[in-house]
Amino acid sequence: MWFLGIDIGTTHLKTVGVTDEGTVLPAGRIRTPTVTRDGLTFHDAEEVWARTSELVARYAATTAHPHGALAGVCVASFGQEEAVPVDARGQALHPSLAWWQNPPRTALDPDTVELLDSYEHYTATGMRHRPAQTPERTAQLRATQPEVWRSTARWADFGSFAVHRMTGRWTSAVAQLTHSQCFDLATLEPLTDVMWRLDLRPEMFPEPLMVGAVAGTLHPDALPGVPLAGEVPVVTGGHDQVVAAHGVHRAGGARVLDSIGTSEYLMVASDVYAPERRAWELGIDHSRSWSAQGYLLGSATPTGKVVQLLADLFYDGDFDALFAALAAQPPGPDTGMHVVLADPDASDEGLLSISGLAPGLRAADVVRHALDRVADHTRTVLGEMCALAGIRPCTVALTGSLWRRPEMAAHRQARWGVPLDVRTVPEPVAESAARIARDAVLPGAAGAPPLNFAENKEVGPQ
C-alpha cells in the first residue's frame, strides 16, 4: 500500500507517493489551471479540483500502481489568502484572485483597515492587514458581487475545498484558518466583533484541525479509478510552507528555514507566542506550527517573482543564462545603482524599482545588484526573527527549486555569512504531506517524527 501527498501550488499541482516501507515515489505534476479576467489572474477551485483528481488517478494508475492500494491522503495548498466563497451545496461560487495580485481599488473602509492593521489586533492574530487577506477579499465580493455574497455559506481555502470533496467535511489546518485575521492565534477562538464588522460568521469557516489530525474518511467515489485499502483517512496538511517546514524539521530538527517558490518564505520555529511591537513594525507573521504548542514566525519576499522578472527583462526568460551571469559576475564596486523592493501589498507598485543606471552597466551588474538587495533584506529580517524567537541565526535549511541552483545558493551564502543547508528534495511540500499521511496511519513506522499525533486532534471552537 502507499500514501499520497497532494500539493496544490500556485503554478503546479503535484503528487508524491510514499510506500508503507517509507520509499518515496517519483512525483507527478501538471500546471495549475488559471482564469484571466480583466487582465487579472484567478484560480477556480472547481477547475483546480478537477485537474487534481485527474492527476491523482493517473498517478495511481502508473507510478503508484506497483505498490497496491491507497492507504492515506494528506493535502497541502497555497495560503488562506486565496479562499473561495462556497454555497450550501459545496459548490464554489467565484474564482479567487491570485495571491500576488491586488484588486484595483480597496473595498474596506479606512477605519476597518486601521483596526485590522493595529498593534492591538496584531497581538491577537499575529498578522498585519494585507489586501490579499480575507477581510479585503470578502469586502470586494460584497461590493462587486453582492449576489454571490448572499449565496455564500462557507469561506474555504483550496486545501479545505479539496478535503471537502474527498470527505464531505469542512475542515482546515489551524495555520490556514488564523491567516484570515478573524481568529485569536493563541486560543483559536473566533473574534466575533471583527467578524460582525466584516459581515462574517464563525460557521462560515471550516473546523480547525492541527497538522496530522484525521479530517475524515475518503469517499469511495471521490477519486475514481484509484484502488483503496479499506477506509482511507484524509489527514490534515494545510499551508504549503508550514507542511514543507514540517518535513524539514522532522528530518533533522531544523528551526530556521527558508523555502523558495513564487515567494521566498523565511520561517523560525518558536515555543512561545510573543507578538512584540518590533515584529508588528516589520510585518512578521505568526502562525501555529505542526504541534499543539508550537508557533512559526514567518516573512515573505517575492524572490521567485523578482528572479523571473530579471530573467524576462535581460535574458529573454532564460534562467540558465541569468544564473551563469550571476556566477560569473563577482561583487564589484558601488556603481551608484539603487534598488528598492516595493511594498508587496501596494496595488499600484511593481516588484522593485531600479535607479541610477550608469552608461555601460551590464545586465549581469543589474541582476547582481538586484539580488544583492533581496539577499540583504531577507538577512536583516531573518536576524530580527531569530532575536524574537530567542535563538541565534544558526544554520538555515533551504528548500525549493531556486535553492537547487548552486549559483543562487552560493550568492546567498556570500551575502548572509551563515551556514546554509540545501535540502535537495524535489517536491518538499508533496513529499512531506505524504509522510504526514503515513505517520498518521502508521505512527510506529520507522522514521516517524517524535510527535504524538494522538494529541493533534480537533482544537478550538466546534
Side-chain angles (χ1 to χ4, degrees), residues 8-12 31-45 48 78-85 94-104 130-134 136-137 140 155 158 262-263 302 305 344-347 351:
I8 300 174
T10 300
T11 56
H12 287 93
R31 293 285 296 185
T32 304
T34 59
V35 178
T36 301
R37 296 185 179 181
D38 300 322
L40 297 174
T41 302
F42 292 79
H43 291 119
D44 184 290
V48 167
F78 43 67
Q80 203 268 351
E81 288 76 6
E82 284 205 50
V84 291
H94 197 272
S96 172
L97 182 64
W99 64 263
W100 64 86
Q101 298 188 317
N102 291 319
R130 300 189 188 97
Q133 290 171 318
T134 284
E136 176 64 30
R137 294 203 172 216
Q140 289 285 335
W155 183 249
F158 277 65
T262 307
S263 173
K305 285 290 185 182
D345 301 319
S347 60
L351 290 171

Side-chain angles (χ1 to χ4, degrees), residues 331-414:
D334 186 2
T335 63
M337 190 177 79
H338 189 53
V339 179
V340 177
L341 293 176
D343 179 354
D345 301 319
S347 60
D348 57 348
E349 298 184 23
L351 290 171
L352 74 169
S353 62
I354 302 175
S355 59
L357 294 174
L361 201 63
R362 298 173 301 168
D365 296 310
V366 179
V367 167
R368 172 169 282 281
H369 279 284
L371 294 182
D372 284 353
R373 179 68 184 91
V374 171
D376 294 347
H377 165 76
T378 52
R379 177 64 180 86
T380 298
V381 174
L382 179 63
E384 296 278 1
M385 291 167 61
C386 288
L388 290 166
I391 65 174
R392 297 182 62 185
C394 51
T395 301
V396 182
L398 308 180
T399 64
S401 57
L402 276 182
W403 293 131
R404 294 199 292 273
R405 300 295 310 226
E407 308 93 337
M408 185 72 178
H411 173 263
R412 189 59 67 87
Q413 176 69 73

